[in-house]
Structure formats: C-alpha cells, structure tokens
Amino acid sequence: MMKIYRLLTADDTSAFCHKVTEALSKGWELYGDPTYAYDAANGVMRCGQAVTKEADVDYSADLKLGQL
C-alpha cells in the first residue's frame, strides 16, 4: 500500500467544493487545513485542499492520481 497525495485547487466558487466533495466520495481524506489566497494575476480568490488516499499501486510519475 502506498499513500497518494493530491492538492486540489480552483477559483473560490462552488466548483471547488464539488471537486473536494467528489474526491471525498471516492475515498480520499482531507489532509491539513484548506488554503485561501488572492490570485493577483487573474483578480480572483483561489482555494486549495490537500487530500490523501491509501492505494495498492506502485509509484510511477505516470500515475493519474485523480483516477485512483
């Protein structure tokens, strides 16, 4: 078993909450506190949330983490 890590990010809209909720529904677990920061280049607030999941796979840089 290997622990998989992802950092989910998106603009501060309901789409971000849906992205996190979808990950949780697929067995991912919240890891740490969410982040919230102003993206000056695009003039929007951005959110981030780390998630982890135990997976029975060997590590490869080609892993599609969102598909695990």
Side-chain angles (χ1 to χ4, degrees), residues 6-65:
R6 292 175 64 197
L7 179 63
L8 306 174
T9 61
D11 290 349
D12 182 21
T13 67
S14 63
F16 174 74
C17 295
H18 285 281
K19 184 185 280 192
V20 174
T21 300
E22 179 183 20
L24 294 174
S25 75
K26 293 181 177 180
W28 292 85
E29 296 181 5
L30 299 176
Y31 182 82
D33 294 328
T35 61
Y36 193 63
Y38 182 68
D39 177 351
N42 294 302
V44 296
M45 294 301 291
R46 305 255 316 150
C47 300
Q49 175 64 59
V51 292
T52 61
K53 181 178 185 178
E54 292 287 334
D56 191 16
V57 297
D58 292 324
Y59 176 75
S60 166
D62 296 328
L63 283 175
K64 303 292 185 204
L65 301 177

